[in-house]
Amino acid sequence: MSEPIRVLVTGAAGQIAYSLLYSIGNGSVFGKDQPIILVLLDITPMMSVLNGVLMELQDCALPLLKDVIATDEEEVAFKDLDVAVLVGSMPRREGMERKDLLRANVKIFKSQGAALEKYAKKSVKVIVVGNPANTNCLTAAKSAPSIPKENFSCLTRLDHNRAKSQIALKLGVTADDVKNVIIWGNHSSTQYPDVNHAKVKLQGKEVGVYEALKNDSWLKGEFITTVQQRGAAVIKARKLSSAMSAAKAISDHIRDIWFGTPEGEFVSMGVISDGNSYGIPDDLLYSFPVVIKNKTWKFVEGLPINDFSREKMDLTAKELTEEKEAAFEFLSSA
Ligand code: NAI
């Protein structure tokens, strides 16, 4: 057995964490022989709920869990971390302006970024889930200047999985038979789900999704809006936002960082742009196709981009640029 790794989940009393903590604890994320010290952070008013989650984790009797620590103090939560999964954020309340929501989240992620800088290992991998996920991730990265910015990523894997599944459902195959879909941009309704480079396995043969479906109008219309609006559709139906599927996507995202992506496959994640890839401006936390090896991601290079895609990729970049500018204003005044 190797040394235990220290993994933090914030928003640990919330609904995503309720599914996620079990996956982490049972070895589905870091492997069945990786012991874990699990750290749970939530805000002070949630401590009694968090204590209930702690009791349940203890009652699961999971052999890989060497310790579980529940706290409302950043100093305790961020100490010596190998992995930080930042799920907790300020939710949008009725009547709340987008700007006010952004301001509240800049405050949270500035503070947590500074705590990462001060207390975590420099090798820590940081995954941001709490919305607005891309900009929260950028805020945290900017607030932790001594941690490599490549160690920060935000979750667009749920959108990626949704896109895979919509294609699979339409073709009557399983999600596993579909690969290399891409989510470009923001984890918001401007994201662009792109299947121009995606492949599907049909009767043992790999074919392009456009070729397999022969339904360009669906792919360029309803498919895109279904993926973009899926989060809202789940809220409408369940009266709660996606939690089981979000936890599954977080597990997929972290497992790929830890173990790498399979040969010939790429995945989508929000990472820092370098100004040289796909015409996206420098220093945006934008969702790209990436491959991962030795816990390090690389852009998938050289995919041809048609005019239809270009327009959609630029639109979501524009939204992210605006979000970034507003966040940086708050960051300097916070
Ligand atoms: P939830 O409301 O059930 O739980 C959030 C938890 O975070 C609460 O327990 C709250 O007290 C806590 N929290 C708030 N501020 C905190 C802070 N400063 N430090 C630590 N904990 C804090 O929400 P749920 O459903 O678990 O969702 C969490 C976040 O994930 C939301 O922002 C949601 O919009 C986002 N989300 C993102 C997705 C993505 O694909 N990027 C997918 C689904 C949800």
Side-chain angles (χ1 to χ4, degrees):
M1 276 256 172
S2 39
E3 281 293 299
I5 53 168
R6 212 170 163 96
V7 179
L8 165 70
V9 176
T10 75
Q15 51 149 4
I16 292 178
Y18 197 70
S19 293
L20 177 64
L21 292 170
Y22 180 68
S23 293
I24 294 176
N26 75 10
S28 306
V29 179
F30 297 103
K32 303 281 180 198
D33 54 5
Q34 176 59 64
I36 293 166
I37 297 170
L38 199 46
V39 189
L40 317 178
L41 177 74
D42 212 293
I43 51 176
T44 312
M46 294 302 285
M47 279 305 103
S48 141
V49 176
L50 193 61
N51 196 36
V53 175
L54 171 71
M55 287 193 275
E56 279 211 64
L57 274 169
Q58 290 166 343
D59 297 348
C60 286
L62 295 162
L64 291 175
L65 283 191
K66 293 299 156 198
D67 197 5
V68 186
I69 299 157
T71 181
D72 56 359
E73 288 174 51
E74 287 183 346
E75 193 180 334
V76 176
F78 286 85
K79 195 158 175 46
D80 294 335
L81 290 181
D82 296 287
V83 178
V85 194
L86 308 183
V87 181
S89 70
M90 172 67 80
R92 191 169 194 154
R93 303 230 163 76
E94 234 180 301
M96 198 172 187
E97 293 278 333
R98 209 181 146 75
K99 271 212 144 176
D100 294 333
L101 181 73
L102 199 56
R103 190 198 305 269
N105 280 301
V106 166
K107 196 162 169 241
I108 293 173
F109 286 85
K110 182 184 180 183
S111 169
Q112 294 188 350
L116 283 164
E117 174 81 5
K118 201 161 168 194
Y119 304 116
K121 289 185 184 164
K122 297 301 170 201
S123 58
V124 63
K125 301 290 184 194
V126 184
I127 297 93
V128 178
V129 179
N131 279 318
N134 300 56
T135 301
N136 288 342
C137 187
L138 188 63
T139 303
K142 293 287 168 191
S143 309
S146 71
I147 297 170
K149 55 188 186 310
E150 292 76 17
N151 291 17
F152 290 79
S153 59
C154 87
L155 188 78
T156 53
R157 186 61 169 268
L158 176 53
D159 310 294
H160 180 104
N161 287 349
R162 285 166 173 163
K164 259 174 93 152
S165 275
Q166 287 302 312
I167 300 294
L169 285 167
K170 195 78 172 171
L171 285 166
V173 297
T174 59
D176 217 32
D177 293 325
V178 181
K179 67 176 191 186
N180 298 353
V181 304
I182 303 170
I183 302 297
W184 298 99
N186 202 358
H187 170 70
S188 76
S189 56
T190 68
Q191 66 176 257
Y192 169 45
D194 176 6
V195 292
N196 282 294
H197 316 284
K199 300 256 186 285
V200 56
K201 212 191 287 163
L202 289 179
Q203 283 112 36
K205 249 184 67 193
E206 250 184 26
V207 280
V209 163
Y210 267 86
E211 192 191 329
L213 258 168
K214 297 185 180 61
N215 189 345
D216 291 17
S217 68
W218 182 79
L219 282 173
K220 289 185 167 169
E222 198 185 328
F223 162 71
I224 293 175
T225 49
T226 300
V227 176
Q228 288 173 332
Q229 307 290 339
R230 187 68 160 185
V234 169
I235 294 178
K236 190 158 180 260
R238 223 171 73 86
K239 315 282 180 265
L240 284 169
S241 63
S242 308
M244 175 171 52
S245 55
K248 157 67 167 58
I250 299 166
S251 301
D252 290 345
H253 179 122
I254 304 175
R255 194 186 316 105
D256 283 345
I257 291 181
W258 216 249
F259 295 106
T261 43
E263 199 57 45
E265 276 190 42
F266 48 81
V267 294
S268 310
M269 55 172 75
V271 292
I272 194 80
S273 61
D274 61 2
N276 297 319
S277 299
Y278 298 104
I280 302 306
D282 190 21
D283 206 33
L284 274 193
L285 212 300
Y286 188 98
S287 179
F288 285 95
V290 300
V291 289
I292 307 166
K293 217 175 173 178
N294 301 325
K295 298 191 173 65
T296 306
W297 59 264
K298 275 201 184 114
F299 293 119
V300 174
E301 299 285 1
L303 298 172
I305 303 296
N306 61 27
D307 291 347
F308 180 84
S309 296
R310 183 74 263 159
E311 193 183 318
K312 294 204 160 358
M313 288 161 68
D314 289 344
L315 186 80
T316 186
K318 184 168 175 278
E319 182 184 57
L320 273 175
T321 304
E322 286 163 10
E323 252 182 54
K324 172 183 159 177
E325 281 166 4
F328 279 22
E329 223 173 90
F330 298 139
L331 195 58
S332 53
S333 63

